Amino acid sequence: MYPVSNKDRSIISLNGIWQFRFAGDSTWQPISVPGSFNTQLTDPRARYYCGIVEYQRHFTIPKIHGGERRVLRFDAVTHDAEVFLNGSPIGTHRGGFLPFEFDISALPCGAEHTLMVRVNNRIDYTTLPIGIEGGTAFFGSDNPGVPSVENGKKRLHAYNLPNFDFFNFAGITRAVRIYTTPQVYIKDITLTTDLDGEDGIIDYVVETSGDAAVHIAICDGEGELVGEGSGKCGTIRIAHAHLWYPRPGTPYLYTAHVTSDEDTYALPVGIRSIEVAGNQFLINGKPFYFKGAGRHEDSPFRGRGTDGCLNVKDIDLLHWLNANSLRTSHYPYAEEMYALCDREGIVVIDELPAVGLNFHGTKNPYTELDTASYHAELLAQLIRRDKNHPSVVMWSLGNEPDTENYPEDAYAYWRALYDLAHRLDPQDRPVTVVCCQNNYTKDITAPSMDVVCINRYYGWYNLAGVLEVAQIAFNEELEFWQEIDKPLILAEYGADALPGLHAINAEMFSEEYQVAYLKAMNACLDQREFVVGEHPWVFADFDTQQGPMRPGGNHKGLFTRDRCPKMAAHMIRDRWATIEGQAH
Ligand code: GCB
């Protein structure tokens, strides 16, 4: 559970300036946590370093915490971590976007300790996301089909090529804390909500570490008690409930105050229902239209490091756009962002870091990569972390896998995860995987999901610059999906626009072309009832691996990287003002 401070629990932050060095170096230098190391140092190794770096700091736990259970928690370390206390290993963790923790109660209070973390940023065929092992790269300087110096094997630095289009930022990217709990503590809380006429139904399950009497009180927005229950599980009826609605509705939040004999934990509850019915996506029984964008946790100095200002700013800009949703492309975000989305009524499609399972037919990712069981493990961790957020309305198992060249293998791989998500999620949310532009007639995976999510670049990567033809091709494809009769979200569509580049004739890379492109695609969407959402790619420009198509990164943003609106942002804002999105 997310660390909190209350009458029974406390937090000691370990954020701040740590010591840092590349493994093998003898001297330390300062680094800020949370943050990516790639952006903070002028050392030429920092940007494309591949391998192990070391972080170190000292800390003392005040003596007053002596009788309590003490836990060291990392919100995320990208990608793999080996943790040492006073020189001895205490554990390891795989994966760069989910939290992990260690019980360090045995460590004496009142004395100084040394915490060291060895961070490995290597990505390969066993990691998620996927890194290229040798050979050619899609987003690298090795152009498939064109021989390069021994196919790129003679790189000056170790190989760490992303098989995805965002910079492989690494380091201790999210908060580090020690939190305390009583000895017998609340281990987990699961809340599910539903509607019964005017009433809200909250089912709860509370797990404690030992025997303890559990009580749960539900308070409304004014702090008034509106329902309660005793025991480790049960159902609470809230008469005439205020529902949690996405913007422009009111994202009403109750608070669940859970107490066990010694422990206390409070968390927000949004009462809402989610359902896929026919070709509609229903929230609280009413059709919902996703207006929003994919985004990256990305900013100039912090890289992917958690940045509260950036999160608040981006939510505010989503409001400004008249948006109501967000996809955590292409990895689970920092927990603080989900809390903001709960409060601010932004619906979240919560995505696993499964990107890069696609070699465009040159390799079968389902037989040549080794990700299946790890992928399932990450899914379980994600659901456990985010299951209670009212803002989270759908799980995305991954982004743009190959579903076309090995259709049966793809189906077996993704369908197993789909089934697992439905089994594990107490709220049984809809599940999707976001599919790549492909020969959709061969794709048996996308149509098998609860919601079809597709990324399409007609008029950019295909049929570049010819929007009339792009529209014909996209409409033809939409005819195909109409027959499938499931709700469809256009989860990505976009055109790079270099901010300030203008043209009388809308040509590629100009702000005018980005506007014309989005308008052309929107016109296709507007004719289709089964289309339940549009997420232009991307919310803001972001950093990528260098490459011939990426001048200073990816420029498909509605906003620049420093969050100034491009012409397209104004156009989308006006458009979304006229699309209600949600009956409320
Ligand atoms: C995609 C990917 C996204 C890229 C985008 C692009 O399909 O899902 O990660 O950034 O295209 O701009 O090429």
Side-chain angles (χ1 to χ4, degrees), residues 440-459:
Y440 43 88
T441 60
K442 292 192 184 161
D443 182 345
I444 53 174
T445 304
S448 76
M449 296 288 136
D450 297 318
V451 174
V452 174
C453 284
I454 57 171
N455 296 344
R456 292 298 181 263
Y457 287 92
Y458 296 108

Side-chain angles (χ1 to χ4, degrees), residues 504-570:
I504 295 286
N505 296 321
E507 291 210 359
M508 294 176 77
F509 289 102
S510 67
E511 293 201 31
E512 284 79 0
Y513 187 81
Q514 188 184 28
V515 168
Y517 166 92
L518 292 169
K519 279 187 171 169
M521 295 302 113
N522 292 342
C524 303
L525 301 178
D526 286 342
Q527 303 163 26
R528 314 278 172 176
E529 210 213 323
F530 68 95
V531 173
V532 301
E534 57 192 57
H535 276 186
W537 186 256
V538 53
F539 178 77
D541 292 352
F542 59 92
D543 197 11
T544 63
Q545 170 93 6
Q546 65 179 331
M549 295 193 293
R550 295 289 176 263
N554 187 311
H555 289 282
K556 296 191 184 66
L558 298 175
F559 297 94
T560 59
R561 201 174 180 214
D562 58 1
R563 274 47 181 178
C564 294
K566 298 186 196 168
M567 277 171 62
H570 291 281

Side-chain angles (χ1 to χ4, degrees), residues 173-401:
T173 44
R174 295 185 189 157
V176 188
R177 286 172 273 226
I178 294 168
Y179 69 88
T180 69
T181 72
Q183 292 300 344
V184 179
Y185 60 97
I186 298 168
K187 257 182 127 169
D188 197 17
I189 303 170
T190 304
L191 302 173
T192 60
T193 71
D194 211 343
L195 317 182
D196 181 19
E198 296 268 285
D199 295 352
I201 306 293
I202 302 174
D203 285 318
Y204 68 91
V205 179
V206 178
E207 213 185 304
T208 54
S209 66
D211 260 357
V214 170
H215 183 259
I216 173 166
I218 308 290
C219 293
D220 67 13
E222 277 73 53
E224 294 294 322
L225 181 71
V226 291
E228 57 188 325
S230 291
K232 292 196 174 167
C233 58
T235 299
I236 300 171
R237 176 174 288 267
I238 309 293
H240 306 291
H242 300 286
L243 303 188
W244 187 92
Y245 278 107
R247 290 293 184 107
T250 308
Y252 195 94
L253 290 176
Y254 293 88
T255 305
H257 296 277
V258 179
T259 51
S260 63
D261 291 342
E262 299 171 22
D263 200 5
T264 315
Y265 197 95
L267 78 170
V269 199
I271 299 178
R272 52 108 180 88
S273 69
I274 303 159
E275 194 191 339
V276 170
N279 61 20
Q280 298 296 300
F281 193 97
L282 307 181
I283 297 184
N284 300 334
K286 296 168 186 169
F288 179 72
Y289 191 84
F290 292 77
K291 302 181 288 178
R295 176 183 173 266
H296 273 292
E297 290 187 319
D298 170 284
S299 67
F301 305 117
R302 287 184 198 269
R304 203 153 335 282
T306 305
D307 185 338
C309 294
L310 188 75
N311 287 346
V312 168
K313 178 85 186 167
D314 285 359
I315 295 281
D316 200 42
L317 289 174
L318 284 167
H319 293 332
W320 180 86
L321 280 174
N322 298 305
N324 59 14
S325 54
L326 172 75
R327 174 165 64 113
T328 69
S329 46
H330 293 311
Y331 36 78
Y333 284 4
E335 289 146 280
E336 293 79 10
M337 191 56 163
Y338 299 78
L340 273 172
C341 288
D342 290 343
R343 276 183 63 164
E344 292 297 310
I346 298 295
V347 157
V348 175
I349 301 172
D350 204 358
E351 186 156 285
L352 283 172
V355 50
L357 289 105
N358 196 338
F359 299 90
H360 306 278
T362 60
K363 197 188 301 275
N364 181 341
Y366 308 107
T367 54
E368 299 205 28
L369 306 185
D370 180 15
T371 52
S373 60
Y374 176 51
H375 201 152
E377 204 182 293
L378 289 183
L379 175 61
Q381 286 179 28
L382 179 73
I383 292 177
R384 188 175 168 88
R385 191 191 73 160
D386 293 344
K387 63 187 171 187
N388 290 324
H389 288 290
S391 56
V392 174
V393 300
M394 181 153 65
W395 307 112
S396 164
L397 302 170
N399 182 68
E400 298 202 338

